[in-house]
Amino acid sequence: MPDYAKRLQEIVDVRQRAIRECEDQRRLIGERLLDLPESKLPEEAAPLVKRHHSIQQRLEAASSAIERLMEIDQRQNEIRDRMKALQKERESLFRGLDDVYEQIGAVAFRIFKHHPLIDPSYSDAFESLARYQDDIRLLDAQLDRYSAEPAQQQRSIVERIGTKTRRAIAKNRKSVRTNQLPRLLQDSGRRLVETDFVAQMDDEELSAVAQPIKDVEQRREEIDSALQELKEESGKLVAEFNSLGNGQKLARARKERESEIEAAKTESGEILASLGRVAREDPPENLSDKIDALKQCEERIAHFDSLLERLKAGQKALTITDEISQLHDRITARRRELEELEQEALAKNEELQELESQRGNERDLFDT
């Protein structure tokens, strides 16, 4: 028995491929119409061509928007990374400069001591160093005085112990105070570089020891300038991104734009196919070969449609044939049942006659 269902599915698949092929041919014909001058277009094609151009502009705008959104996102990541690196560098610029501040403080204090006409406004920066110098001078004088006292053997034990203790205390104080000098010089150097002291003194040695600080400050200014430029660029990019993406994040904005593109592509294909149909009915010049190919494709579809109708008729004929066979089977069964019923009726009739014969006249049975 032929497998109509299988053959039907085969023809349906082939027909679908033919339909897609015809649509492709219509779109190709439509694309050819897009290149024709308006004067050579079929009358119904002009508004379709105009719509297609409008859709292409939407497609290009959406595609450009996605590309720009991704560029902005990438650039923003680069800006964030660059700003983090610059901030980290800026925070580390003035680390490890204690020795430089100490040298600045030492040279500046020496200059300050030898130039009494220096602007008094700088005096505060040297106040702690001047006090340190006075303290050291006082402690040195005390130590000299203790060393100049009479020989130990000429004094009493109590006096000798007292002098020794005072000398030890003075030495300890001087040691403690001396250990404070680097920090005092550093503090003085830090305060001075925040003023114009180095520039005002115009001292070669002071300028030399302060050069690392000037280099760091210059680098900080460069970093601040770069950070400001990056911040301004980022602000402009954010505004542009929000405008392109309607204030949404990249994934959502990109998805919406891609949906627009898919919808526009679908609409564009439909318009091209419509242009192909217009050209099929009113063929422009130089498209006869394309139109002939389309007609042949449509004829194949018509052929497949005819085959499908015949196959469906054949499939239905098989079904009806099977139904007729089932009906005949039912009729045969009913006939057999009727025959059995007739035989049963005959048997019952014979039994009835025998019983009536045995019974006799029914009235005799009820007369009293």
Side-chain angles (χ1 to χ4, degrees):
M1 179 184 293
D3 190 340
Y4 277 92
K6 181 179 178 182
R7 183 58 175 164
L8 272 167
Q9 188 58 54
E10 290 174 353
I11 299 301
V12 166
D13 293 341
V14 173
R15 181 179 179 276
Q16 284 299 114
R17 289 197 295 272
I19 289 174
R20 289 194 293 270
E21 182 183 342
C22 288
E23 281 295 283
D24 289 341
Q25 289 183 4
R26 292 187 188 100
R27 283 191 285 269
L28 288 172
I29 294 171
E31 289 177 358
R32 291 282 294 274
L33 291 184
L34 296 176
D35 299 329
L36 294 178
E38 188 173 352
S39 60
K40 293 187 177 182
L41 287 173
E43 184 177 350
E44 296 180 21
L48 292 172
V49 170
K50 187 176 181 180
R51 278 182 58 197
H52 187 270
H53 288 327
S54 176
I55 291 170
Q56 287 303 113
Q57 291 175 356
R58 281 162 43 200
L59 269 171
E60 291 173 5
S63 298
S64 297
I66 290 177
E67 184 177 350
R68 183 57 181 156
L69 285 168
M70 295 179 67
E71 287 177 354
I72 291 174
D73 184 69
Q74 181 179 354
R75 179 57 184 159
Q76 286 285 55
N77 288 332
E78 293 172 354
I79 288 174
R80 281 191 289 270
D81 292 342
R82 181 59 179 157
M83 289 183 75
K84 286 180 182 179
L86 288 172
Q87 288 284 12
K88 186 176 181 180
E89 181 184 354
R90 190 182 190 280
E91 292 170 1
S92 66
L93 281 175
F94 289 90
R95 294 175 188 166
L97 294 175
D98 290 348
D99 291 344
V100 177
Y101 287 122
E102 185 176 341
Q103 292 179 55
I104 293 172
V107 175
F109 188 49
R110 187 165 62 248
I111 295 172
F112 180 76
K113 288 189 297 183
H114 291 89
H115 293 78
L117 299 179
I118 290 177
D119 190 333
S121 62
Y122 299 116
S123 299
D124 288 346
F126 300 109
E127 183 178 356
S128 60
L129 287 172
R131 189 162 53 250
Y132 166 84
Q133 192 175 54
D134 292 341
D135 290 346
I136 293 297
R137 189 180 298 113
L138 179 61
L139 289 168
D140 284 341
Q142 289 178 357
L143 288 171
D144 290 343
R145 186 171 63 252
Y146 296 146
S147 298
E149 288 183 358
Q152 297 289 346
Q153 62 272 20
Q154 298 177 3
R155 306 178 65 202
S156 67
I157 255 183
V158 173
E159 289 175 334
R160 289 201 302 272
I161 291 173
T163 299
K164 185 177 181 181
T165 300
R166 287 194 296 274
R167 184 165 54 250
I169 291 172
K171 278 186 175 182
N172 184 60
R173 285 178 178 174
K174 181 179 179 181
S175 176
V176 171
R177 201 70 172 103
T178 301
N179 290 336
Q180 295 174 346
L181 180 59
R183 180 181 59 79
L184 296 174
L185 290 171
Q186 292 168 20
D187 292 344
S188 179
R190 284 191 179 88
R191 295 181 64 179
L192 289 171
V193 296
E194 294 175 357
T195 69
D196 60 351
F197 182 83
V198 175
Q200 289 291 336
M201 293 301 99
D202 194 24
D203 180 84
E204 184 175 345
E205 182 182 7
L206 182 60
S207 297
V209 297
Q211 187 61 43
I213 301 299
K214 291 178 66 177
D215 293 341
V216 166
E217 289 176 342
Q218 181 180 351
R219 179 56 186 157
R220 180 177 62 183
E221 291 176 0
E222 292 172 353
I223 290 175
D224 289 343
S225 176
L227 286 171
Q228 183 61 30
E229 289 178 1
L230 291 171
K231 184 178 179 181
E232 291 174 359
E233 181 185 356
S234 179
K236 293 177 181 178
L237 291 176
V238 167
E240 183 182 359
F241 189 96
N242 289 336
S243 176
L244 290 172
N246 297 322
Q248 298 171 333
K249 293 183 178 181
L250 177 61
R252 182 69 180 273
R254 181 176 178 179
K255 185 176 181 180
E256 285 196 359
R257 293 291 187 175
E258 288 174 344
S259 297
E260 291 176 13
I261 289 172
E262 288 304 312
K265 284 181 176 179
T266 300
E267 188 177 355
S268 173
E270 291 171 353
I271 291 175
L272 289 175
S274 297
L275 283 170
R277 291 185 182 91
V278 170
R280 165 74 167 77
E281 301 303 322
D282 186 9
E285 297 178 4
N286 302 324
L287 284 180
S288 58
D289 56 335
K290 299 292 183 183
I291 299 300
D292 289 343
L294 176 59
K295 289 179 179 179
Q296 291 174 9
C297 184
E298 290 172 345
E299 288 172 1
R300 287 205 310 276
I301 293 176
H303 171 67
F304 294 138
D305 287 340
S306 176
L307 278 178
L308 287 174
E309 290 301 319
R310 292 175 60 191
L311 285 166
K312 288 176 182 176
Q315 188 179 44
K316 190 170 184 180
L318 279 179
T319 301
I320 291 176
T321 299
D322 185 55
E323 290 175 351
I324 291 172
S325 176
Q326 292 177 17
L327 287 171
H328 282 306
D329 289 343
R330 289 172 63 188
I331 290 170
T332 300
R334 291 289 177 86
R335 284 175 176 170
R336 187 179 297 113
E337 185 180 355
L338 285 172
E339 290 176 356
E340 291 174 355
L341 289 172
E342 286 176 354
Q343 292 297 325
E344 186 178 351
L346 288 173
K348 292 290 184 181
N349 191 47
E350 290 177 358
E351 184 181 1
L352 176 62
Q353 290 177 1
E354 183 178 351
L355 290 171
E356 285 179 344
S357 176
Q358 291 177 7
R359 182 194 67 193
N361 192 334
E362 192 174 19
R363 291 181 179 177
D364 295 343
L365 297 174
F366 294 94
D367 288 340
T368 55

